[in-house]
Amino acid sequence: MSTSSFASALSPSTSPVQSKLPTTSVASGTAQENCLEPFDSRGICAWTASRQRAAFATLIEEMEVRLFRVVDEDLAWLAEQPETAMAVQMVALELPGGRYSVAVVAGGRVVWDMSGSEDDGKVERLLDEPWLSGGEAESRAEPFEAWVAQLPPFEGILRNGRVVDRRFWIVPAGPFPPPPAPPTTVYGHLPFVGQCGRDEVYYRWEPFPTSRRIDPSTNAVSPGTFTAPLSEVPFVASGFGAVGRYALPGLSPANWRWELRPPRGTRFRCGASVPLYGQAGGGVECVFDSGFANVGPIANPVVLPTL
């Protein structure tokens, strides 16, 4: 599959679903004719959260979804980039003719393609895969790697794009503006800054048995990694529960829960997850922009049920 076919559903001229979605273009901070609402002060098409949720519900319902593996050349680049949401990176790719597309990358390993291509059945059968359906955590890594290996490679060059801040509307017809500084109002995403106290514990939920952002061999956590505080654990009892509570654009259930212990004084940004991508949000999130070295060894993740 080519990068241009990946973006075909995001072009107003080629996708029946696109006609139901807002198409945003940004040029010198001015509104374009293809925006259905005025642009706000940050140059973003001023669609309400309810309209965004409804539009994405239509997108997911009517578009076919296919899975592709991230090629080796892009794995290291993705590991060094910040996240768009917990265990999800959305990469803006420039296409021929001045068009842009967004690749949804789950866990730094798998691209979810919503381009409207013919469904190959892998998404529908995802819950039947041995690495997701049962067994001890240690026994799931090998079948997961085998599953990833048989996925077709994603032909777009992710490392030539850039990871998008999720405050942007993610189905544009034109270039993305530069990500703004974190908003100062309580209605923005992660508007507050804090620092860790002594012996604080944080958690994150990922969709795959192996992590590209946590390295147990060195106890290193990558910069730009999303987490949640201890108080969130009782509210996230399943993989799909994490997807909904943290409004994740990746649809795969985040069954693997990691426990992390940042050093005292480590800075983070925090706030409540805002409704996005057809998900309710509402969970408390913290992102460690500079990463950290974990206090003590990092344990293997706890495997949660899918449902």
Side-chain angles (χ1 to χ4, degrees), residues 260-285:
L260 303 171
R261 297 177 181 271
R264 182 180 183 181
T266 303
R267 305 285 286 180
F268 57 80
R269 289 185 290 118
C270 60
S273 299
V274 296
L276 285 172
Y277 317 119
Q279 306 294 346
V284 178
E285 283 188 309

Side-chain angles (χ1 to χ4, degrees), residues 80-93:
E80 296 174 351
Q81 304 306 308
E83 293 183 301
T84 305
M86 194 178 299
V88 176
Q89 292 162 302
M90 305 187 73
V91 183
L93 300 173

Side-chain angles (χ1 to χ4, degrees), residues 5-29:
S5 63
F6 172 80
S8 61
L10 304 183
S11 171
S13 62
T14 58
S15 171
V17 177
Q18 178 67 30
S19 64
K20 304 175 184 179
L21 298 173
T23 58
T24 60
S25 296
V26 177
S28 302

Side-chain angles (χ1 to χ4, degrees), residues 26-156:
V26 177
S28 302
T30 62
Q32 303 297 302
E33 292 181 357
N34 61 343
C35 182
L36 304 183
E37 297 280 351
F39 277 68
D40 65 16
S41 60
R42 293 178 294 157
I44 301 173
C45 191
W47 266 48
T48 62
S50 61
R51 278 174 164 171
Q52 291 183 20
R53 289 196 297 271
F56 263 87
T58 300
L59 179 70
I60 299 304
E61 178 181 352
E62 298 191 10
M63 277 191 171
E64 304 292 352
V65 180
R66 297 183 67 193
L67 301 176
F68 295 84
R69 61 179 168 84
V70 176
V71 298
D72 292 344
E73 293 82 357
D74 286 327
L75 287 174
W77 179 81
L78 283 169
E80 296 174 351
Q81 304 306 308
E83 293 183 301
T84 305
M86 194 178 299
V88 176
Q89 292 162 302
M90 305 187 73
V91 183
L93 300 173
E94 185 173 4
L95 307 174
R99 293 177 301 136
Y100 279 69
S101 178
V102 176
V104 180
V105 183
R109 301 293 303 276
V110 175
V111 175
W112 287 70
D113 169 23
M114 301 177 186
S115 68
S117 304
E118 182 179 353
D119 186 4
D120 58 10
K122 287 186 171 63
V123 173
E124 183 177 341
R125 298 191 300 269
L126 184 63
L127 301 188
D128 294 329
E129 294 295 333
W131 61 268
L132 189 56
S133 60
E136 298 297 325
E138 293 79 4
S139 66
R140 300 195 189 202
E142 185 173 344
F144 167 70
E145 295 296 338
W147 176 78
V148 171
Q150 56 83 40
L151 294 176
F154 180 65
E155 296 179 6

Side-chain angles (χ1 to χ4, degrees), residues 192-205:
F192 302 104
V193 176
Q195 64 179 12
C196 297
R198 186 187 302 275
D199 299 327
E200 287 188 359
V201 180
Y202 292 79
Y203 294 84
R204 70 180 263 113
W205 290 258

Side-chain angles (χ1 to χ4, degrees), residues 281-301:
V284 178
E285 283 188 309
C286 305
V287 61
F288 290 88
D289 291 322
S290 299
F292 58 86
N294 199 70
V295 177
I298 298 176
N300 289 331

